[in-house]
Amino acid sequence: MKALLASRAFAHFAVDLACGFVALGVFVPGAATQAEAALGVLLYNLLAFATQPLLGALCDRFPRRPWAAWGCLAVAAGALLGCFSLGWAAVVLCGLGNALFHPGGGRDALLASPGTLKEGGVFVSTGAVGVALGMFWGTAFPLPRIAGAVAALLGLCALLCWKTPLISPREETRISAASSLPFWWVVGLALASVALRAFVGGAVPMPWKTGLWALAAAAAAFLGKAAGGFLADRTSPRFAGVGALLLSLPLLRLGWAHPLPSLLGLLCFNMTMPVTLGTVADKLPNAPGLAFGLTAQFLIVGTLPLYGVSLGQGQALVLAAAGILVSAACVALSSRGRKGKQP
């Protein structure tokens, strides 16, 4: 199971690296206008995130198909198209390949779990570093050489992900992270928390986040997502999720203009991700692909209000603080507070 999780987590890094490379490192700098660049990024995000529940349900319906591997190959093709200046086609292929890989690979990671949350956190965490590196490489190195290297890397990942040994959920893999509230309350509150965190992540102004500091921010998100699952397994989902969000509030609200407190705030802020994923997966034990796809879809739901809206610094910080508090309340109500499995 550790080898399976490692292969999916590495492939997640490679897929998001390629998508960051194409969408942010190739398409945006090469766009004729700022409006075209914004439209391309919006199209990519809609394809990559909004379609994931549908594709996740497809992964659950036909579990013997190598969905994660097919997603890797689609993104590899997109990276090569980007090399030949076929920007819109590259964005579409990368968006759809991303949407196919994530619920396919996420499903495998959840099924590899012996009922714990750390596997989901480890799988998701590598994507943050991939996106940041992809954007950086797209502007710092010769385009054809990087495109070929990225495509070759994804080909290797496709081979690693081709075999899917985990076909259906087993009782011992069922995650126990949800509270005792009814199904729709738990799922709705958990997804609301995801959307609010996505909104906050885009709203908080961080003027320092350029160049290598942007890579440091991605590393903080990586560490937070990975550590959050371990902390939740060691304590409880509610303690880890709510505590991390409340710790992030003063760091992001007061230290937004300075790298070090902001980085610590980002680390804490991202620790809630494995909790909300595990909470939704707990309520959908026979549909892990759909559970993963829903949490990914609500990331784009949370960021959509930021498109075309210019918030002042004061407004952004007030809304971010309110978003963190409401998100923490959603986690407190939707996740369970006792360690261990429910009877």
Side-chain angles (χ1 to χ4, degrees):
M1 296 302 179
K2 290 182 179 179
L4 182 144
L5 178 62
S7 69
R8 299 320 188 254
F10 179 71
H12 189 190
F13 163 78
V15 165
D16 279 15
L17 183 149
C19 290
F21 163 71
V22 170
L24 301 176
V26 176
F27 183 86
V28 169
T33 64
Q34 188 175 357
E36 181 184 357
L39 183 60
V41 172
L42 176 61
L43 174 63
Y44 166 78
N45 283 328
L46 288 173
L47 290 173
F49 294 98
T51 61
Q52 281 197 41
L54 175 62
L55 293 174
L58 195 65
C59 295
D60 294 325
R61 177 65 180 85
F62 301 101
R64 294 183 182 275
R65 306 290 193 273
W67 299 105
W70 290 348
C72 289
L73 294 177
V75 174
L80 291 176
L81 288 179
C83 170
F84 294 104
S85 301
L86 299 173
W88 285 101
V91 164
V92 170
L93 260 181
C94 284
L96 291 175
N98 185 304
L100 189 59
F101 169 80
H102 278 80
R107 182 182 191 277
D108 293 342
L110 290 174
L111 292 181
S113 162
T116 51
L117 299 179
K118 59 180 179 288
E119 287 78 11
V122 168
F123 171 75
V124 174
S125 65
T126 56
V129 179
V131 170
L133 279 177
M135 179 175 61
F136 178 76
W137 285 0
T139 56
F141 296 100
L143 183 58
R145 186 180 304 173
I146 293 300
V150 167
L153 179 64
L154 286 166
L156 172 62
C157 291
L159 290 176
L160 293 174
C161 296
W162 198 264
K163 185 178 180 182
T164 307
L166 302 172
I167 302 303
S168 59
R170 299 163 294 161
E171 184 62 30
E172 61 268 26
T173 68
R174 176 162 182 172
I175 294 170
S176 181
S179 71
S180 59
L181 289 177
F183 174 88
W184 286 111
W185 277 100
V186 169
V187 173
L189 287 166
L191 294 178
S193 174
V194 172
L196 286 166
R197 292 202 315 273
F199 175 82
V200 170
V204 174
M206 293 184 183
W208 53 268
K209 202 169 70 171
T210 58
L212 292 179
W213 281 117
L215 295 181
F222 161 77
L223 291 173
K225 291 175 181 179
F230 286 92
L231 179 63
D233 292 335
R234 177 74 60 157
T235 57
S236 74
R238 184 180 301 161
F239 177 86
V242 175
L245 282 174
L246 294 180
L247 280 174
S248 74
L249 177 55
L251 292 165
L252 294 177
R253 176 64 179 84
L254 301 176
W256 58 272
H258 306 284
L260 294 183
S262 294
L263 288 172
L264 186 55
L266 286 173
L267 189 151
C268 296
F269 184 73
N270 281 278
M271 291 178 74
T272 308
M273 187 286 306
V275 175
T276 46
L277 174 59
T279 298
V280 177
D282 185 359
K283 287 298 184 181
L284 293 167
N286 296 315
L290 174 61
F292 192 95
L294 282 170
T295 57
Q297 183 186 62
F298 273 75
L299 290 173
I300 189 65
V301 169
T303 57
L304 281 177
L306 296 170
Y307 279 89
V309 176
S310 179
L311 294 174
Q313 177 183 302
Q315 290 176 311
L317 290 172
V318 169
L319 288 174
I324 290 174
L325 288 173
V326 177
S327 180
C330 291
V331 173
L333 291 170
S334 61
S335 61
R336 63 193 306 260
R338 293 183 296 110
K339 182 181 174 183
K341 287 181 173 290
Q342 300 184 78

